[in-house]
Amino acid sequence: MSLIQLSKNQSLHAALLLPVTNSVGAHLRRHFSSTETDTRTLTIETSVPYTGHKLEPPSRSVETTQKELLTFFREMSLMRRMEIAADSLYKAKLIRGFCHLYDGQEAVAVGMEAAITKKDNVITAYRDHCIYLARGGTLVGAFAELMGRRDGCSKGKGGSMHFYKKDSGFYGGHGIVGAQTPLGCGLAFAQKYLKEEHVTFTLYGDGAANQGQLFEALNMAALWDLPVILVCENNHYGMGTAEWRAAKSPAYYKRGDYVPGLKVDGMDVLAVKQACKFAKEHVLKNGPIILEMDTYRYHGHSMSDPGSTYRTRDEISGIRQERDPIERVRKLILSHDFATEKELKDTEKEVRKEVDDAIAQAKESPMPDPSELFTNVFVKGLGADAFGVDRKEIRTVLP
Ligand SMILES: Cc1ncc(C[n+]2csc(CCOP(=O)(O)OP(=O)(O)O)c2C)c(N)n1
Ligand SMILES: [Mg+2]
């Protein structure tokens, strides 16, 4: 991101006795209270332009405020900390089974959420912890779920890959690569059928972009002008396979052929926000769109992958240095004197404490009762019997 112009009214700045300039690199001094600054609008130019397919891309100038930037910093830091803590809990064997971490990709979750409401739907694959948090999920709900406890967002029965929060439009959390894309189109079909003016964001990876069911879903979505935004989170790897080994064309925003697309810098939270806002308006008028978010995962594919055998450490550290989404916002905040380095460090400390407290609380939560094993699995009232794997120990009549 580069600077920066002030929009709205110059008189506000005069009133606040601020040095005002529109030139690149100039910055405002912080001689004002935070309440005065909260509402003031800045215009930031994204460093990478959008690239469109069958559409005119939105402007690179994105409006934001001091308050929004500080919120973005906090939210992304919280997500980062949550994922790092999940890594430790996994290594301590408090989290078992699959676990896919999202650190590096936080700007997609946070930027998207800033552009939509809880009446819009989101559905994603198994890398879902931070999407759940962005949708209003709690840290305790996340950690308890990860550790298989009763207070987890899926009652401790879903685990890392199956987070849900239906009351704020989050439909999971899916383990079969690409399978959520037709489901997302189905959610959008329901929105259109019910004449709601809301949309569905359906997230999938670059690996999933080669899955056949995506193209079947796109065909129907385009035929019926469904309000669905297909968000390809291109982190450039599907497990240990680099995209160039798996995809004949890695231009995922063009892969919908007749479906318009937009390539977005997915490490820039403001660029993501603007793109999602644009996409939402687009799909309500014109039907589906693909947003390719150019992003990166810092961790290996899952906890069983150290993530360093199929890519160089230099590649990872280079992205951390040049494109890290949190560092970008930190620089922006500092260059505007919107907070001091110490204030941002304090925010990080607070976030760390919030995460630690949530883990402590989640650990107190009991494991689900064995009688819960078959609830929320089958439709009620079928009257069938269910068995454990050995067909002896657990036997229950389904509710
Ligand atoms: C249908 C299906 N095939 C294979 C797998 C095994 N698998 C799990 S994740 C994954 C890679 C997907 O990569 P991508 O879509 O880029 O998502 P990312 O993990 O990078 O977020 C594969 C092949 C699966 N879960 N489902
Ligand atoms: Mg990928």
Side-chain angles (χ1 to χ4, degrees):
M1 285 173 261
S2 63
L3 206 80
I4 298 89
Q5 285 170 318
L6 294 166
S7 68
K8 299 269 145 88
N9 50 26
Q10 297 268 316
S11 59
L12 177 63
H13 306 296
L16 294 167
L17 298 175
L18 296 170
V20 173
T21 164
N22 287 334
S23 64
V24 172
H27 69 270
L28 301 169
R29 304 207 198 296
R30 211 155 57 105
H31 298 312
F32 39 81
S33 76
S34 57
T35 41
E36 281 166 317
T37 59
D38 282 351
T39 52
R40 218 172 36 146
T41 307
L42 295 177
T43 306
I44 313 274
E45 184 132 317
T46 63
S47 53
V48 180
Y50 297 106
T51 317
H53 166 67
K54 294 200 169 177
L55 55 74
E56 197 54 48
S59 158
R60 287 171 69 178
S61 301
V62 187
E63 291 205 338
T64 187
T65 61
Q66 177 192 28
K67 187 177 176 188
E68 185 177 65
L69 290 173
L70 292 172
T71 305
F72 285 167
F73 181 82
R74 172 180 266 281
E75 287 174 348
M76 290 196 290
S77 302
L78 192 69
M79 289 175 180
R80 178 76 50 96
R81 188 67 211 153
M82 175 174 77
E83 295 299 63
I84 305 294
D87 177 286
S88 307
L89 289 171
Y90 198 92
K91 287 173 179 152
K93 295 195 170 19
L94 283 160
I95 298 174
R96 313 300 293 254
F98 287 106
C99 184
H100 307 82
L101 303 179
Y102 196 72
D103 46 322
Q105 302 184 206
E106 299 92 344
V108 179
V110 170
M112 178 175 73
E113 200 58 46
I116 63 179
T117 74
K118 299 292 186 282
K119 293 204 166 148
D120 297 311
N121 295 326
V122 179
I123 186 168
T124 186
Y126 40 82
R127 209 175 291 286
D128 60 353
H129 313 163
C130 295
I131 306 289
Y132 162 76
L133 212 57
R135 291 263 81 189
T138 64
L139 285 170
V140 175
F143 283 115
E145 192 56 43
L146 286 170
M147 294 192 277
R149 311 300 174 111
R150 233 180 258 181
D151 293 321
C153 57
S154 300
K155 302 185 179 174
K157 299 191 288 178
S160 163
M161 300 202 291
H162 303 292
F163 281 25
Y164 282 82
K165 193 168 176 13
K166 193 173 164 228
D167 60 2
S168 51
F170 179 45
Y171 286 86
H174 296 265
I176 302 300
V177 167
Q180 74 281 11
T181 56
L183 296 179
C185 292
L187 290 168
F189 178 85
Q191 286 168 320
K192 180 150 183 159
Y193 187 78
L194 297 170
K195 298 192 166 46
E196 295 172 359
E197 284 295 289
H198 307 300
V199 306
T200 298
F201 283 74
T202 303
L203 280 61
Y204 60 101
D206 48 301
N210 302 312
Q211 256 266 7
Q213 57 190 313
L214 170 64
F215 300 94
E216 297 179 42
L218 276 174
N219 179 51
M220 290 160 94
L223 273 175
W224 298 334
D225 292 334
L226 301 184
V228 62
I229 296 112
L230 282 303
V231 181
C232 177
E233 286 189 273
N234 181 9
N235 58 16
H236 302 278
Y237 293 91
M239 301 183 88
T241 306
E243 62 176 351
W244 63 267
R245 295 177 64 207
K248 181 69 183 167
S249 163
Y252 301 104
Y253 69 106
K254 291 186 188 167
R255 293 275 292 273
D257 180 16
Y258 44 83
V259 174
L262 191 68
K263 184 167 178 174
V264 183
D265 181 358
M267 303 296 264
D268 179 342
V269 65
L270 291 172
V272 172
K273 181 186 83 162
Q274 178 104 320
C276 291
K277 215 166 140 210
F278 171 86
K280 186 174 167 175
E281 282 164 21
H282 175 97
V283 300
L284 284 169
K285 277 199 225 110
N286 311 298
I289 188 174
I290 293 178
L291 295 183
E292 178 187 343
M293 301 287 179
D294 181 2
T295 181
Y296 199 77
R297 74 165 148 78
Y298 290 153
H299 262 90
H301 167 73
S302 66
M303 291 307 298
S304 57
D305 167 25
S308 51
T309 51
Y310 48 84
R311 55 184 184 173
T312 61
R313 289 192 187 282
D314 284 353
E315 177 182 302
I316 306 167
S317 58
I319 305 251
R320 277 188 186 275
Q321 265 164 32
E322 301 295 323
R323 300 184 58 211
D324 185 81
I326 301 176
E327 292 312 311
R328 273 189 187 199
V329 173
R330 188 198 305 275
K331 274 186 206 144
L332 203 52
I333 290 170
L334 293 177
S335 70
H336 286 73
D337 265 348
F338 282 163
T340 63
E341 283 190 43
K342 180 171 178 313
E343 283 165 338
L344 295 182
K345 284 255 176 285
D346 288 346
T347 301
E348 289 173 303
K349 268 191 220 153
E350 283 161 27
V351 155
R352 186 181 278 251
K353 186 170 175 328
E354 253 179 75
V355 166
D356 291 347
D357 291 350
I359 292 171
Q361 212 179 314
K363 280 182 182 166
E364 294 296 313
S365 173
M367 297 287 173
D369 193 87
S371 65
E372 276 280 296
L373 195 56
F374 298 104
T375 57
N376 313 114
V377 178
F378 292 102
V379 174
K380 282 190 178 174
L382 291 179
D385 287 354
F387 301 87
V389 268
D390 58 3
R391 299 192 65 81
K392 284 185 200 133
E393 271 204 10
I394 298 169
R395 186 173 175 197
T396 183
V397 176
L398 291 174

PDB file of all heavy atoms in Angstrom, residues 2 11-12 20 22 28 75 81 94 98 106 144-145 170 173 176 213 230 236 243 246-248 274 309 355 387:
ATOM      1  N   SER A   2       0.473   2.178  -0.724  1.00  0.00           N
ATOM      2  CA  SER A   2       1.211   3.424  -0.664  1.00  0.00           C
ATOM      3  C   SER A   2       0.247   4.519  -0.249  1.00  0.00           C
ATOM      4  O   SER A   2      -0.945   4.335  -0.264  1.00  0.00           O
ATOM      5  CB  SER A   2       1.813   3.733  -2.020  1.00  0.00           C
ATOM      6  OG  SER A   2       0.786   3.912  -2.947  1.00  0.00           O
ATOM      7  N   SER A  11     -11.623  20.984   5.710  1.00  0.00           N
ATOM      8  CA  SER A  11     -11.897  21.885   6.828  1.00  0.00           C
ATOM      9  C   SER A  11     -11.702  21.178   8.167  1.00  0.00           C
ATOM     10  O   SER A  11     -11.287  21.779   9.137  1.00  0.00           O
ATOM     11  CB  SER A  11     -13.322  22.428   6.740  1.00  0.00           C
ATOM     12  OG  SER A  11     -14.206  21.344   6.752  1.00  0.00           O
ATOM     13  N   LEU A  12     -11.976  19.905   8.190  1.00  0.00           N
ATOM     14  CA  LEU A  12     -11.764  19.126   9.402  1.00  0.00           C
ATOM     15  C   LEU A  12     -10.307  19.212   9.831  1.00  0.00           C
ATOM     16  O   LEU A  12      -9.978  19.391  10.992  1.00  0.00           O
ATOM     17  CB  LEU A  12     -12.151  17.657   9.161  1.00  0.00           C
ATOM     18  CG  LEU A  12     -11.925  16.697  10.317  1.00  0.00           C
ATOM     19  CD1 LEU A  12     -12.792  17.076  11.516  1.00  0.00           C
ATOM     20  CD2 LEU A  12     -12.250  15.272   9.893  1.00  0.00           C
ATOM     21  N   VAL A  20      -1.679  19.312   6.471  1.00  0.00           N
ATOM     22  CA  VAL A  20      -2.366  18.524   5.457  1.00  0.00           C
ATOM     23  C   VAL A  20      -1.578  18.555   4.157  1.00  0.00           C
ATOM     24  O   VAL A  20      -1.144  19.592   3.712  1.00  0.00           O
ATOM     25  CB  VAL A  20      -3.776  19.093   5.195  1.00  0.00           C
ATOM     26  CG1 VAL A  20      -4.425  18.392   4.019  1.00  0.00           C
ATOM     27  CG2 VAL A  20      -4.625  18.931   6.434  1.00  0.00           C
ATOM     28  N   ASN A  22      -1.300  16.289   0.262  1.00  0.00           N
ATOM     29  CA  ASN A  22      -1.759  15.168  -0.544  1.00  0.00           C
ATOM     30  C   ASN A  22      -0.618  14.426  -1.189  1.00  0.00           C
ATOM     31  O   ASN A  22      -0.817  13.496  -1.936  1.00  0.00           O
ATOM     32  CB  ASN A  22      -2.705  15.661  -1.649  1.00  0.00           C
ATOM     33  CG  ASN A  22      -4.044  16.043  -1.039  1.00  0.00           C
ATOM     34  OD1 ASN A  22      -4.401  15.522   0.011  1.00  0.00           O
ATOM     35  ND2 ASN A  22      -4.730  16.949  -1.682  1.00  0.00           N
ATOM     36  N   LEU A  28       0.182  12.494   8.498  1.00  0.00           N
ATOM     37  CA  LEU A  28      -0.486  13.369   9.459  1.00  0.00           C
ATOM     38  C   LEU A  28       0.102  13.165  10.826  1.00  0.00           C
ATOM     39  O   LEU A  28       0.508  12.083  11.183  1.00  0.00           O
ATOM     40  CB  LEU A  28      -1.963  12.984   9.521  1.00  0.00           C
ATOM     41  CG  LEU A  28      -2.686  13.082   8.198  1.00  0.00           C
ATOM     42  CD1 LEU A  28      -4.045  12.418   8.316  1.00  0.00           C
ATOM     43  CD2 LEU A  28      -2.838  14.545   7.842  1.00  0.00           C
ATOM     44  N   GLU A  75      -7.461  -7.592  14.610  1.00  0.00           N
ATOM     45  CA  GLU A  75      -8.119  -8.847  14.191  1.00  0.00           C
ATOM     46  C   GLU A  75      -7.123  -9.810  13.552  1.00  0.00           C
ATOM     47  O   GLU A  75      -7.132 -11.010  13.832  1.00  0.00           O
ATOM     48  CB  GLU A  75      -9.258  -8.536  13.215  1.00  0.00           C
ATOM     49  CG  GLU A  75     -10.457  -7.899  13.914  1.00  0.00           C
ATOM     50  CD  GLU A  75     -11.546  -7.453  12.958  1.00  0.00           C
ATOM     51  OE1 GLU A  75     -11.303  -7.413  11.732  1.00  0.00           O
ATOM     52  OE2 GLU A  75     -12.651  -7.134  13.458  1.00  0.00           O
ATOM     53  N   ARG A  81      -2.130 -15.160  16.217  1.00  0.00           N
ATOM     54  CA  ARG A  81      -1.799 -15.724  17.529  1.00  0.00           C
ATOM     55  C   ARG A  81      -2.575 -17.025  17.785  1.00  0.00           C
ATOM     56  O   ARG A  81      -2.045 -17.986  18.340  1.00  0.00           O
ATOM     57  CB  ARG A  81      -2.129 -14.668  18.603  1.00  0.00           C
ATOM     58  CG  ARG A  81      -1.679 -15.018  19.963  1.00  0.00           C
ATOM     59  CD  ARG A  81      -0.168 -15.052  20.089  1.00  0.00           C
ATOM     60  NE  ARG A  81       0.237 -16.037  21.073  1.00  0.00           N
ATOM     61  CZ  ARG A  81       1.394 -16.688  21.092  1.00  0.00           C
ATOM     62  NH1 ARG A  81       2.305 -16.449  20.187  1.00  0.00           N
ATOM     63  NH2 ARG A  81       1.652 -17.569  22.028  1.00  0.00           N
ATOM     64  N   LEU A  94      -2.780 -31.961  22.585  1.00  0.00           N
ATOM     65  CA  LEU A  94      -4.101 -31.580  23.097  1.00  0.00           C
ATOM     66  C   LEU A  94      -5.097 -31.421  21.952  1.00  0.00           C
ATOM     67  O   LEU A  94      -6.308 -31.431  22.138  1.00  0.00           O
ATOM     68  CB  LEU A  94      -4.010 -30.279  23.909  1.00  0.00           C
ATOM     69  CG  LEU A  94      -3.426 -30.499  25.300  1.00  0.00           C
ATOM     70  CD1 LEU A  94      -2.894 -29.210  25.887  1.00  0.00           C
ATOM     71  CD2 LEU A  94      -4.481 -31.106  26.221  1.00  0.00           C
ATOM     72  N   PHE A  98      -6.789 -34.030  12.170  1.00  0.00           N
ATOM     73  CA  PHE A  98      -6.373 -33.035  11.180  1.00  0.00           C
ATOM     74  C   PHE A  98      -6.339 -31.635  11.773  1.00  0.00           C
ATOM     75  O   PHE A  98      -7.118 -31.317  12.676  1.00  0.00           O
ATOM     76  CB  PHE A  98      -7.341 -33.040   9.991  1.00  0.00           C
ATOM     77  CG  PHE A  98      -7.195 -34.244   9.113  1.00  0.00           C
ATOM     78  CD1 PHE A  98      -8.130 -35.260   9.137  1.00  0.00           C
ATOM     79  CD2 PHE A  98      -6.101 -34.362   8.260  1.00  0.00           C
ATOM     80  CE1 PHE A  98      -7.982 -36.382   8.327  1.00  0.00           C
ATOM     81  CE2 PHE A  98      -5.945 -35.472   7.449  1.00  0.00           C
ATOM     82  CZ  PHE A  98      -6.893 -36.488   7.483  1.00  0.00           C
ATOM     83  N   GLU A 106      -4.467 -14.203   6.588  1.00  0.00           N
ATOM     84  CA  GLU A 106      -5.453 -13.483   7.422  1.00  0.00           C
ATOM     85  C   GLU A 106      -6.159 -12.340   6.700  1.00  0.00           C
ATOM     86  O   GLU A 106      -7.324 -12.035   6.982  1.00  0.00           O
ATOM     87  CB  GLU A 106      -4.781 -12.917   8.684  1.00  0.00           C
ATOM     88  CG  GLU A 106      -4.158 -13.942   9.615  1.00  0.00           C
ATOM     89  CD  GLU A 106      -2.680 -14.221   9.330  1.00  0.00           C
ATOM     90  OE1 GLU A 106      -2.201 -13.857   8.232  1.00  0.00           O
ATOM     91  OE2 GLU A 106      -2.014 -14.802  10.201  1.00  0.00           O
ATOM     92  N   ALA A 144     -11.990 -24.848  22.035  1.00  0.00           N
ATOM     93  CA  ALA A 144     -12.724 -26.003  22.572  1.00  0.00           C
ATOM     94  C   ALA A 144     -13.018 -26.988  21.435  1.00  0.00           C
ATOM     95  O   ALA A 144     -12.911 -28.200  21.609  1.00  0.00           O
ATOM     96  CB  ALA A 144     -14.007 -25.538  23.254  1.00  0.00           C
ATOM     97  N   GLU A 145     -13.355 -26.481  20.275  1.00  0.00           N
ATOM     98  CA  GLU A 145     -13.609 -27.379  19.142  1.00  0.00           C
ATOM     99  C   GLU A 145     -12.335 -28.120  18.747  1.00  0.00           C
ATOM    100  O   GLU A 145     -12.341 -29.327  18.498  1.00  0.00           O
ATOM    101  CB  GLU A 145     -14.160 -26.580  17.954  1.00  0.00           C
ATOM    102  CG  GLU A 145     -14.734 -27.460  16.844  1.00  0.00           C
ATOM    103  CD  GLU A 145     -15.824 -28.408  17.338  1.00  0.00           C
ATOM    104  OE1 GLU A 145     -16.676 -27.966  18.130  1.00  0.00           O
ATOM    105  OE2 GLU A 145     -15.798 -29.590  16.955  1.00  0.00           O
ATOM    106  N   PHE A 170     -22.206 -18.685   8.603  1.00  0.00           N
ATOM    107  CA  PHE A 170     -20.995 -19.450   8.289  1.00  0.00           C
ATOM    108  C   PHE A 170     -21.357 -20.942   8.203  1.00  0.00           C
ATOM    109  O   PHE A 170     -21.700 -21.574   9.206  1.00  0.00           O
ATOM    110  CB  PHE A 170     -19.899 -19.201   9.326  1.00  0.00           C
ATOM    111  CG  PHE A 170     -18.647 -19.997   9.045  1.00  0.00           C
ATOM    112  CD1 PHE A 170     -18.127 -20.065   7.754  1.00  0.00           C
ATOM    113  CD2 PHE A 170     -17.997 -20.694  10.042  1.00  0.00           C
ATOM    114  CE1 PHE A 170     -16.992 -20.812   7.467  1.00  0.00           C
ATOM    115  CE2 PHE A 170     -16.852 -21.445   9.774  1.00  0.00           C
ATOM    116  CZ  PHE A 170     -16.356 -21.511   8.483  1.00  0.00           C
ATOM    117  N   GLY A 173     -16.198 -24.977   6.730  1.00  0.00           N
ATOM    118  CA  GLY A 173     -15.728 -26.126   7.424  1.00  0.00           C
ATOM    119  C   GLY A 173     -15.988 -27.417   6.617  1.00  0.00           C
ATOM    120  O   GLY A 173     -16.718 -28.208   7.130  1.00  0.00           O
ATOM    121  N   ILE A 176     -13.778 -32.349   2.063  1.00  0.00           N
ATOM    122  CA  ILE A 176     -13.588 -32.894   0.720  1.00  0.00           C
ATOM    123  C   ILE A 176     -13.247 -31.742  -0.216  1.00  0.00           C
ATOM    124  O   ILE A 176     -14.039 -30.812  -0.373  1.00  0.00           O
ATOM    125  CB  ILE A 176     -14.852 -33.630   0.233  1.00  0.00           C
ATOM    126  CG1 ILE A 176     -15.221 -34.761   1.210  1.00  0.00           C
ATOM    127  CG2 ILE A 176     -14.656 -34.166  -1.183  1.00  0.00           C
ATOM    128  CD1 ILE A 176     -14.170 -35.828   1.394  1.00  0.00           C
ATOM    129  N   GLN A 213     -16.127 -30.526 -10.023  1.00  0.00           N
ATOM    130  CA  GLN A 213     -17.423 -30.030  -9.520  1.00  0.00           C
ATOM    131  C   GLN A 213     -17.485 -28.501  -9.455  1.00  0.00           C
ATOM    132  O   GLN A 213     -18.568 -27.931  -9.508  1.00  0.00           O
ATOM    133  CB  GLN A 213     -17.761 -30.639  -8.179  1.00  0.00           C
ATOM    134  CG  GLN A 213     -16.758 -30.419  -7.100  1.00  0.00           C
ATOM    135  CD  GLN A 213     -17.076 -31.278  -5.875  1.00  0.00           C
ATOM    136  OE1 GLN A 213     -18.218 -31.332  -5.430  1.00  0.00           O
ATOM    137  NE2 GLN A 213     -16.084 -31.952  -5.345  1.00  0.00           N
ATOM    138  N   LEU A 230     -17.170 -16.737  -6.023  1.00  0.00           N
ATOM    139  CA  LEU A 230     -16.244 -17.864  -5.861  1.00  0.00           C
ATOM    140  C   LEU A 230     -14.880 -17.272  -5.551  1.00  0.00           C
ATOM    141  O   LEU A 230     -14.292 -16.589  -6.397  1.00  0.00           O
ATOM    142  CB  LEU A 230     -16.181 -18.681  -7.149  1.00  0.00           C
ATOM    143  CG  LEU A 230     -17.306 -19.676  -7.507  1.00  0.00           C
ATOM    144  CD1 LEU A 230     -17.499 -20.720  -6.411  1.00  0.00           C
ATOM    145  CD2 LEU A 230     -18.607 -18.990  -7.824  1.00  0.00           C
ATOM    146  N   HIS A 236      -0.774 -20.905  -3.582  1.00  0.00           N
ATOM    147  CA  HIS A 236       0.263 -21.425  -4.496  1.00  0.00           C
ATOM    148  C   HIS A 236       0.682 -22.864  -4.257  1.00  0.00           C
ATOM    149  O   HIS A 236       1.548 -23.365  -4.975  1.00  0.00           O
ATOM    150  CB  HIS A 236       1.476 -20.484  -4.544  1.00  0.00           C
ATOM    151  CG  HIS A 236       1.077 -19.104  -4.979  1.00  0.00           C
ATOM    152  ND1 HIS A 236       0.898 -18.751  -6.294  1.00  0.00           N
ATOM    153  CD2 HIS A 236       0.745 -18.011  -4.237  1.00  0.00           C
ATOM    154  CE1 HIS A 236       0.505 -17.488  -6.356  1.00  0.00           C
ATOM    155  NE2 HIS A 236       0.392 -17.022  -5.114  1.00  0.00           N
ATOM    156  N   GLU A 243       1.657 -24.993  -7.541  1.00  0.00           N
ATOM    157  CA  GLU A 243       0.574 -24.814  -8.515  1.00  0.00           C
ATOM    158  C   GLU A 243       1.024 -25.110  -9.941  1.00  0.00           C
ATOM    159  O   GLU A 243       0.276 -25.667 -10.732  1.00  0.00           O
ATOM    160  CB  GLU A 243      -0.031 -23.411  -8.419  1.00  0.00           C
ATOM    161  CG  GLU A 243       0.957 -22.317  -8.730  1.00  0.00           C
ATOM    162  CD  GLU A 243       0.330 -20.919  -8.724  1.00  0.00           C
ATOM    163  OE1 GLU A 243      -0.894 -20.787  -8.652  1.00  0.00           O
ATOM    164  OE2 GLU A 243       1.114 -19.966  -8.784  1.00  0.00           O
ATOM    165  N   ALA A 246       0.484 -28.577 -10.925  1.00  0.00           N
ATOM    166  CA  ALA A 246      -0.881 -29.113 -10.880  1.00  0.00           C
ATOM    167  C   ALA A 246      -1.848 -28.420 -11.845  1.00  0.00           C
ATOM    168  O   ALA A 246      -2.873 -28.993 -12.197  1.00  0.00           O
ATOM    169  CB  ALA A 246      -1.425 -28.992  -9.459  1.00  0.00           C
ATOM    170  N   ALA A 247      -1.526 -27.185 -12.245  1.00  0.00           N
ATOM    171  CA  ALA A 247      -2.499 -26.422 -13.027  1.00  0.00           C
ATOM    172  C   ALA A 247      -1.893 -25.978 -14.357  1.00  0.00           C
ATOM    173  O   ALA A 247      -0.860 -25.302 -14.374  1.00  0.00           O
ATOM    174  CB  ALA A 247      -2.946 -25.196 -12.230  1.00  0.00           C
ATOM    175  N   LYS A 248      -2.535 -26.334 -15.448  1.00  0.00           N
ATOM    176  CA  LYS A 248      -2.053 -25.905 -16.771  1.00  0.00           C
ATOM    177  C   LYS A 248      -2.091 -24.374 -16.856  1.00  0.00           C
ATOM    178  O   LYS A 248      -1.187 -23.741 -17.377  1.00  0.00           O
ATOM    179  CB  LYS A 248      -2.929 -26.546 -17.855  1.00  0.00           C
ATOM    180  CG  LYS A 248      -2.530 -26.211 -19.271  1.00  0.00           C
ATOM    181  CD  LYS A 248      -1.209 -26.850 -19.633  1.00  0.00           C
ATOM    182  CE  LYS A 248      -0.783 -26.442 -21.049  1.00  0.00           C
ATOM    183  NZ  LYS A 248       0.629 -26.790 -21.285  1.00  0.00           N
ATOM    184  N   GLN A 274     -12.010  -3.922  -0.766  1.00  0.00           N
ATOM    185  CA  GLN A 274     -12.560  -3.233  -1.943  1.00  0.00           C
ATOM    186  C   GLN A 274     -13.079  -4.249  -2.974  1.00  0.00           C
ATOM    187  O   GLN A 274     -14.143  -4.070  -3.554  1.00  0.00           O
ATOM    188  CB  GLN A 274     -11.441  -2.392  -2.573  1.00  0.00           C
ATOM    189  CG  GLN A 274     -11.826  -1.662  -3.825  1.00  0.00           C
ATOM    190  CD  GLN A 274     -12.046  -0.189  -3.536  1.00  0.00           C
ATOM    191  OE1 GLN A 274     -12.629   0.179  -2.492  1.00  0.00           O
ATOM    192  NE2 GLN A 274     -11.589   0.642  -4.427  1.00  0.00           N
ATOM    193  N   THR A 309       9.875 -29.067   2.553  1.00  0.00           N
ATOM    194  CA  THR A 309      10.570 -29.993   1.645  1.00  0.00           C
ATOM    195  C   THR A 309      10.311 -29.662   0.178  1.00  0.00           C
ATOM    196  O   THR A 309      11.056 -30.074  -0.691  1.00  0.00           O
ATOM    197  CB  THR A 309      10.129 -31.446   1.906  1.00  0.00           C
ATOM    198  OG1 THR A 309       8.699 -31.470   1.894  1.00  0.00           O
ATOM    199  CG2 THR A 309      10.635 -31.950   3.248  1.00  0.00           C
ATOM    200  N   VAL A 355      -5.863 -14.908  23.927  1.00  0.00           N
ATOM    201  CA  VAL A 355      -5.730 -16.273  23.413  1.00  0.00           C
ATOM    202  C   VAL A 355      -5.425 -17.229  24.570  1.00  0.00           C
ATOM    203  O   VAL A 355      -6.056 -18.283  24.707  1.00  0.00           O
ATOM    204  CB  VAL A 355      -4.649 -16.336  22.310  1.00  0.00           C
ATOM    205  CG1 VAL A 355      -4.251 -17.773  21.997  1.00  0.00           C
ATOM    206  CG2 VAL A 355      -5.149 -15.624  21.052  1.00  0.00           C
ATOM    207  N   PHE A 387     -24.012 -48.431  15.844  1.00  0.00           N
ATOM    208  CA  PHE A 387     -22.978 -49.179  16.574  1.00  0.00           C
ATOM    209  C   PHE A 387     -21.659 -48.431  16.515  1.00  0.00           C
ATOM    210  O   PHE A 387     -21.414 -47.677  15.584  1.00  0.00           O
ATOM    211  CB  PHE A 387     -22.759 -50.546  15.921  1.00  0.00           C
ATOM    212  CG  PHE A 387     -23.989 -51.395  15.875  1.00  0.00           C
ATOM    213  CD1 PHE A 387     -24.881 -51.293  14.812  1.00  0.00           C
ATOM    214  CD2 PHE A 387     -24.267 -52.287  16.894  1.00  0.00           C
ATOM    215  CE1 PHE A 387     -26.023 -52.067  14.778  1.00  0.00           C
ATOM    216  CE2 PHE A 387     -25.407 -53.066  16.859  1.00  0.00           C
ATOM    217  CZ  PHE A 387     -26.300 -52.960  15.792  1.00  0.00           C
TER     218      PHE A 387
END
